[in-house]
Amino acid sequence: MAFIKRLGWYLVGLSIGIVFLAFFLKKKSADSGTEFCYFPNCRVLKDLRSKPIAYAPELEAQFTQDSVLWKSFFKDGTIDFGQSDTKAKPCKVYHISNGPKAIQVRNCPEKVEVVRLDQTPRD
């Protein structure tokens, strides 16, 4: 069999396999709610979402007014690792920005504490 025919059959099989793999992985993630997070920002946000959230007393009233704002930080936020203290014990401190607002959270082993809300992200 000529090389071109073998290459053609290989590419046909490869494309069919990729289509099936993409279909099954998409269905698996939709059914089980599994999210594939490989980047540090996504992994930290996923860890923060998995724990109960506590708020500083001065932020508690604002949380009851605008809970969608708080959820957007933990879903679509961007973590500034330069200003975060990821080696602190026992709770790591992260700065998360989402648009013109930013928050500072403490990621403890059993819960997440929202410490501060800034109107503009820190530079």
Side-chain angles (χ1 to χ4, degrees):
M1 197 180 275
F3 175 73
I4 300 297
K5 282 187 175 180
R6 286 190 307 216
L7 181 64
W9 284 112
Y10 172 77
L11 291 176
V12 167
L14 181 68
S15 61
I16 290 172
I18 289 174
V19 168
F20 279 121
L21 184 64
F23 175 75
F24 287 125
L25 286 180
K26 188 172 187 176
K27 181 156 177 62
K28 178 185 175 193
S29 66
D31 288 346
S32 64
T34 305
E35 184 178 352
F36 298 104
C37 289
Y38 296 110
F39 295 112
N41 190 63
C42 183
R43 292 173 62 187
V44 170
L45 289 176
K46 185 176 180 182
D47 180 49
L48 293 174
R49 285 191 307 263
S50 69
K51 298 176 184 176
I53 301 172
Y55 299 93
E58 60 271 7
L59 298 175
E60 192 72 37
Q62 190 171 8
F63 166 71
T64 57
Q65 293 174 356
D66 196 7
S67 63
V68 174
L69 169 71
W70 297 106
K71 291 180 183 177
S72 70
F73 278 109
F74 296 111
K75 180 120 176 96
D76 303 322
T78 303
I79 298 175
D80 184 0
F81 287 101
Q83 293 189 3
S84 300
D85 186 7
T86 59
K87 300 194 188 297
K89 298 285 181 183
C91 301
K92 299 175 183 178
V93 178
Y94 293 105
H95 291 273
I96 305 171
S97 63
N98 190 6
K101 297 188 178 188
I103 61 172
Q104 179 181 4
V105 298
R106 294 179 64 215
N107 186 8
C108 298
E110 65 280 347
K111 67 179 177 178
V112 175
E113 299 175 29
V114 179
V115 179
R116 189 176 73 220
L117 172 68
D118 297 328
Q119 292 302 321
T120 56
R122 301 175 143 218
D123 292 329

